[in-house]
Amino acid sequence: MKKLTATKDFEVRFSEVDSMNIVWHGSYPLYFEDAREEFGRKYGLGYMTIFGNGYFAPLVELSFKYKRPLAYEMQPAVRITYIPTESAKIVFEYEIYDRADSGIIATGRSVQVFMDKDYQLVWENPSFYQQWKEKWEVL
């Protein structure tokens, strides 16, 4: 089975740090969101693709583990990895690391489910998602 990953370099903005020069914990979901968008661009599973096929993909789970501080002027990146599942959901794992020394700053995980445009939970893989899984050999 293929391992699908994408990496997004980013800069810590001054507005994201506290008085100790450390990134506020509430910024991490945005970094993970940027990684999901990068993954979508790279592999054709972006939010507009999902929406264009008649579905939403809301987050139902999001977790973080902080390993070391992320500070202003560091050069971080976030690596996202698709975790295959037979269920009708999209699971990702994340690693934020310092590009200067490859040290891990934080790890995380997210789970998204599918809802139709009437906001009803979809229990089976939508056909476009099943075809996507087949294309990328992640069944």
Side-chain angles (χ1 to χ4, degrees):
M1 193 176 311
K2 285 186 179 180
K3 186 173 185 177
L4 304 182
T5 65
T7 301
K8 174 77 173 169
D9 295 347
F10 65 95
E11 293 182 16
V12 174
R13 296 180 307 168
F14 182 75
S15 63
E16 296 170 334
V17 299
D18 60 20
S19 60
M20 298 178 292
N21 198 38
I22 303 299
V23 169
W24 176 63
H25 67 275
S27 295
Y28 286 79
L30 300 175
Y31 303 146
F32 286 8
E33 178 74 23
D34 289 344
R36 285 193 301 278
E37 288 182 351
E38 182 65 25
F39 183 93
R41 278 190 289 277
K42 184 174 179 179
Y43 294 103
L45 191 63
Y47 289 119
M48 296 312 291
T49 299
I50 295 168
F51 183 75
N53 279 282
Y55 298 91
F56 301 112
L59 282 169
V60 295
E61 181 182 324
L62 183 62
S63 62
F64 303 88
K65 291 184 181 177
Y66 303 99
K67 306 295 185 179
R68 69 183 229 201
L70 177 57
Y72 188 64
E73 296 187 331
M74 288 177 76
Q75 296 182 8
V78 57
R79 181 180 306 112
I80 183 171
T81 302
Y82 175 80
I83 305 302
T85 176
E86 292 183 22
S87 302
K89 59 177 118 176
I90 305 170
V91 180
F92 290 113
E93 290 182 349
Y94 308 84
E95 285 185 326
I96 295 177
Y97 62 94
D98 187 349
R99 288 181 282 147
D101 66 8
S102 299
I104 301 296
I105 296 166
T107 61
R109 174 182 161 87
S110 69
V111 178
Q112 295 168 265
V113 295
F114 291 99
M115 294 176 70
D116 64 22
K117 290 198 176 171
D118 292 323
Y119 301 99
Q120 299 301 307
L121 185 63
V122 175
W123 293 98
E124 306 224 356
N125 285 310
S127 60
F128 85 92
Y129 185 52
Q130 187 65 31
Q131 291 168 2
W132 180 89
K133 287 180 172 186
E134 290 169 6
K135 173 184 176 180
W136 292 103
E137 299 174 5
V138 290
L139 293 172

